[in-house]
Amino acid sequence: MKVDGKHFRSIWRERDGWSVGAIDQRRLPHEFVIAKLTSCEDAAVAIRDMLVRGAPLIGATAAYGMALAMRADASDAGLRRAYDTLVVARPTAINLKWALDEMRAALAPIDPAERAEAAYVRADEIVEQDVEINRGIAANGLALIEAIVARKTPGETVNVLTHCNAGWLATVDWGTATAPIYLAHERGIKIHVWVDETRPRNQGASLTAWELGHHGVPHTVIPDNTGGHLMQHGMVDLAIVGTDRVAANGDVCNKIGTYLKALAAHDNGVPFYVALPSPTIDFAVDDGIRDIPIEQRSGVEVTDMTGRTADGRLETVRIVPEGSPVANYAFDVTPARLVTGLITERGVLKPDRASLAAAFPERIAAAAE
Ligand code: MRU
């Protein structure tokens, strides 16, 4: 997508052919800074410290992390060490493990002397695949938006609510939840996005608003607790969110607060869609609420906030009384019964076991191995 008229992806191989460039998302929206990753450790830290974030981008970063590791040590022990270092960088987004499993499957059977080159080839494929998948999500989600347009009076705006950042910054390009929005905007559909700020890291206010703004998509940032009110007053036509892991039964894990939006949508008859690439489905997890690990992050993300002062400095301030305990659950799970549909690259699916299995039979077979 475009930043100041120039096309960017969120991650790429640098001109030197081996190091990896990525947008440092910790600095947005105030500064556009590109980070250079040169080792497996750099990739692991980038994921853990949320320099990169969002399930598909975490997977892509891990894939390049394996390639960087193979440059340094392509032995069997090096392969194991790289996998073990990266797989624990963040616990909830399954795309991390998916990408590492793909990399290991490609590299383990071949001669160590060939592993570094093969690793870059496979990592590049994973990156390109993400872009292709998101194009599919865009097309399938567009049909839902067009159906809403057809029911409205001509020229009326379609209002979409989204939570967190499931935009192009969370993927390699296009985004998942935002892919249909960008395509609708490109096709001239009048579309407006309600952007949940998404405490405590504010991915909505900092990232979604930034990328929509750069792309010229009308949007409004709202405090996290506003969505229910808007839905009660007919101001949301549909909600589209992303996800970090979808269980085999259709339960959806996403950024903390998603569940509350799904409840509000259900109560108000607002369609609640989840956009996801197939690597986000975890067929090994049967019951999302019971079995998906929920990351708990540092309390500092809750107690402190960083922003730009009137004179242009970035400053961090404390907003919670000294001594008050805080909890920071980073994700929650929305039960499948509250989800209207799953927008995937293979169509809009019912959030249930049978529909997921029918759409992705090869993944079921792989999970059984
Ligand atoms: O903690 P984050 O910022 O990595 O969480 C990201 C989200 O919850 C996204 O909505 C999700 O990964 C979907 S990304 C297309």
Side-chain angles (χ1 to χ4, degrees), residues 50 53-56 90 164-166 170 176 203 243-244 254-255 331:
M50 294 175 70
R53 24 76 42 215
R90 286 191 75 190
C164 194
N165 173 259
T176 55
Q203 290 94 328
T243 169
D244 294 82
N254 193 45
K255 182 52 58 189
F331 299 93

Side-chain angles (χ1 to χ4, degrees), residues 104-259:
R104 186 169 59 184
L107 302 178
I110 64 176
D111 190 312
E114 292 166 11
R115 280 182 183 157
E117 200 184 325
Y120 278 104
V121 169
R122 187 69 191 107
D124 287 345
E125 283 170 2
I126 286 172
V127 160
E128 294 306 324
Q129 186 189 356
D130 181 66
V131 179
E132 265 323 292
I133 285 176
N134 296 339
R135 284 208 182 95
I137 291 172
N140 293 328
L142 178 68
L144 300 171
I145 294 170
E146 285 173 337
I148 290 170
V149 172
R151 289 200 299 271
K152 284 185 170 269
T153 42
E156 221 186 319
T157 297
V158 176
N159 286 294
V160 185
L161 182 138
T162 193
H163 190 69
C164 194
N165 173 259
W168 71 266
L169 288 166
T171 65
V172 176
D173 209 347
W174 280 93
T176 55
T178 56
I181 294 169
Y182 285 126
L183 190 56
H185 177 72
E186 217 171 275
R187 296 278 166 91
I189 291 174
K190 277 177 82 176
I191 197 155
H192 165 263
V193 186
W194 296 110
V195 178
D196 281 353
E197 62 175 346
T198 321
R199 282 282 290 145
R201 295 277 303 212
N202 298 318
Q203 290 94 328
S206 305
L207 305 176
T208 307
W210 182 83
E211 57 164 274
L212 290 173
H214 273 272
H215 222 70
V217 179
H219 63 280
T220 307
V221 179
I222 48 173
D224 282 333
N225 29 26
T226 307
H229 169 77
L230 297 177
M231 292 180 198
Q232 268 178 339
H233 291 272
M235 294 161 81
V236 181
D237 292 300
L238 80 166
I240 312 180
V241 299
T243 169
D244 294 82
R245 198 183 302 208
V246 173
N249 69 349
D251 289 348
V252 167
C253 182
N254 193 45
K255 182 52 58 189
I256 193 80
T258 303
Y259 174 39

